[in-house]
Amino acid sequence: MLVQPLRSVDPRQIPSVTGAPEHKVAVLLNANARKVDARVVKSLSHVVPEQDLFLSRSELDCRRIVQTVLERNYPMVFTGGGDGTFLGFANEMFRQLDARGRFAGKRAPRFGVLKLGTGNGLATYVNAGGGQDGILQDVVRARAGQVPGHRRMDLLMVDGQRTPFAGLGVDGKLLNDYIWVKSNLGRGFFKKMLSGPGGYFSAVAFKTVPHYLTNSTFVDCEVINGQAGEAYRVGPDGTPVGAPIAPGERIFKGELMMAAAATMPFYGYGFRMFPFAGERRGMMQLRLGQLQAANILANLPKLWAGRWFPEGLQDFYASEVHIRFAKPMPFQVGGDAAGYREEVKLSVAPDPVELLDFHGAVH
């Protein structure tokens, strides 16, 4: 083990799989993640054989672990450490599978996501268990073959990397503001209050919105449908409206404060930013925003729940889009700040991932 245990857990609190047929499962943990501490590692060591429990501290560790996982043909792999940990392992997995080498022709294993991150957007999407007991139960159920279902999830391709969401504009500004609030104000007494949903609400209310009340929000933007297929405008009920938009045709031209896309609904902390994402195989939900800052603040709870569809919020289904702003805009990829960009191409990755779903049936 790379992490020394703090204390042993009571084995009586760990669900038993005695007598159940065991399935081969690997657990890949990011040892640098805040919630992946010695107690979690020790607890998982009670339900996963030592040879199936991996800890990564670096990109080199990640590459070696993925190579081992592919060599051993694990059919199921859990990742623990947050959405970024999942993406790190998944991107490395596809990189090795796509390379012309000994893994050519192999398929990626089915992924489980442990609720060991901060925002936990993916964990929320697949109904992963919370707390130490929930994490252990998810792994035990997978090893016992008792996961009720799975879902195929497309991913976006952005600059050669896979991610469930990315955006230019106010969502990138919000992410930067949230990081600032958490780093500068979320300490001591306020740490718990400002490191989760409260931090997002505080960032929007006291930093992002005030900024846009005194600074220009809207920037000229053009969005072109790519060559991968037709795009569709989406109504408030999630169904396409109007005529299809042909490949190469313009989706939008005008002033925007945000252009973002996703293949799953959640940004994190249950923030349902993309309520229609994942509903159409092989397509992303593209969301274009023309909203005033004060209007966002007044309707933030409904926006958070994915139930606000004002005239200035336009939604589309698309497989590939080219977004061009007239000036550099804050850019985020998978919840991580990625500097400023004027232009970006977003497309749906060729191969979806299969995720263990701990609530629903097969999708």
Side-chain angles (χ1 to χ4, degrees), residues 100-213:
R100 293 185 178 181
R102 54 178 169 161
F103 300 130
K106 279 193 175 186
R107 294 183 58 188
R110 190 166 288 172
F111 285 94
V113 181
L114 300 177
K115 207 166 190 177
L116 283 170
T118 49
N120 289 310
L122 280 165
T124 300
Y125 187 46
V126 298
N127 305 288
Q132 183 170 299
D133 288 345
I135 291 166
L136 296 180
Q137 288 170 11
D138 284 354
V139 175
V140 168
R141 290 170 71 189
R143 295 191 66 222
Q146 296 175 354
V147 179
H150 70 276
R151 63 172 69 231
R152 293 179 182 88
M153 186 181 80
D154 290 303
L155 291 170
L156 295 178
M157 291 295 293
V158 185
D159 297 337
Q161 295 293 309
R162 288 168 168 84
T163 182
F165 56 85
L168 286 164
V170 70
D171 65 327
K173 178 74 167 63
L174 168 59
L175 173 68
N176 290 331
D177 289 345
Y178 167 66
I179 293 172
W180 186 92
V181 166
K182 188 170 66 171
S183 300
N184 292 276
L185 304 179
R187 300 179 180 181
F189 178 79
F190 297 103
K191 182 175 182 179
K192 187 174 182 180
M193 184 186 307
L194 297 178
S195 61
Y200 267 110
F201 274 108
S202 299
V204 171
F206 302 116
K207 199 162 174 62
T208 310
V209 169
H211 171 82
Y212 285 119
L213 287 174

Side-chain angles (χ1 to χ4, degrees), residues 24-312:
K24 196 174 180 182
V25 175
V27 177
L28 318 182
L29 301 176
N30 178 2
N32 300 313
R34 181 172 58 86
K35 291 189 177 182
V36 180
D37 57 19
R39 182 184 179 190
V40 166
V41 174
K42 183 65 175 179
S43 298
L44 284 166
S45 72
H46 283 278
V47 298
V48 180
E50 182 178 357
Q51 67 269 19
D52 298 333
L53 184 60
F54 302 87
L55 285 164
S56 173
R57 293 185 181 277
S58 65
E59 291 185 7
L60 178 59
D61 285 345
C62 178
R63 289 197 295 271
R64 290 172 173 171
I65 290 169
V66 167
Q67 180 178 337
T68 300
V69 166
L70 292 174
E71 287 173 345
R72 295 182 184 176
N73 293 308
Y74 286 98
M76 289 182 285
V77 172
F78 279 91
T79 66
D83 294 348
T85 297
F86 164 79
L87 291 172
F89 280 117
N91 273 298
E92 178 60 28
M93 188 85 64
F94 281 105
R95 189 192 70 78
Q96 294 196 29
L97 289 172
D98 291 342
R100 293 185 178 181
R102 54 178 169 161
F103 300 130
K106 279 193 175 186
R107 294 183 58 188
R110 190 166 288 172
F111 285 94
V113 181
L114 300 177
K115 207 166 190 177
L116 283 170
T118 49
N120 289 310
L122 280 165
T124 300
Y125 187 46
V126 298
N127 305 288
Q132 183 170 299
D133 288 345
I135 291 166
L136 296 180
Q137 288 170 11
D138 284 354
V139 175
V140 168
R141 290 170 71 189
R143 295 191 66 222
Q146 296 175 354
V147 179
H150 70 276
R151 63 172 69 231
R152 293 179 182 88
M153 186 181 80
D154 290 303
L155 291 170
L156 295 178
M157 291 295 293
V158 185
D159 297 337
Q161 295 293 309
R162 288 168 168 84
T163 182
F165 56 85
L168 286 164
V170 70
D171 65 327
K173 178 74 167 63
L174 168 59
L175 173 68
N176 290 331
D177 289 345
Y178 167 66
I179 293 172
W180 186 92
V181 166
K182 188 170 66 171
S183 300
N184 292 276
L185 304 179
R187 300 179 180 181
F189 178 79
F190 297 103
K191 182 175 182 179
K192 187 174 182 180
M193 184 186 307
L194 297 178
S195 61
Y200 267 110
F201 274 108
S202 299
V204 171
F206 302 116
K207 199 162 174 62
T208 310
V209 169
H211 171 82
Y212 285 119
L213 287 174
T214 56
N215 294 272
S216 176
T217 307
F218 298 99
V219 177
D220 284 332
C221 180
E222 183 178 45
V223 183
I224 303 296
N225 187 26
Q227 297 298 320
E230 293 180 329
Y232 304 88
R233 179 76 184 269
V234 181
D237 61 353
T239 59
V241 296
I245 303 167
E249 284 192 355
R250 181 185 292 155
I251 292 176
F252 175 90
K253 183 174 176 58
E255 291 187 327
L256 289 177
M257 40 77 81
M258 180 193 76
T263 54
M264 75 169 187
F266 301 102
Y267 260 180
Y269 301 108
F271 187 0
R272 193 179 285 270
M273 180 67 175
F274 300 92
F276 311 128
E279 295 297 322
R280 291 222 160 191
R281 190 71 53 79
M283 304 190 89
M284 70 185 87
Q285 179 187 344
L286 171 69
R287 174 159 274 194
L288 307 178
Q290 294 175 299
L291 301 170
Q292 297 295 336
N295 200 15
I296 295 174
L297 184 59
N299 292 277
L300 188 57
K302 287 191 292 185
L303 175 63
W304 198 280
R307 295 186 287 103
W308 188 43
F309 303 100
E311 184 178 342

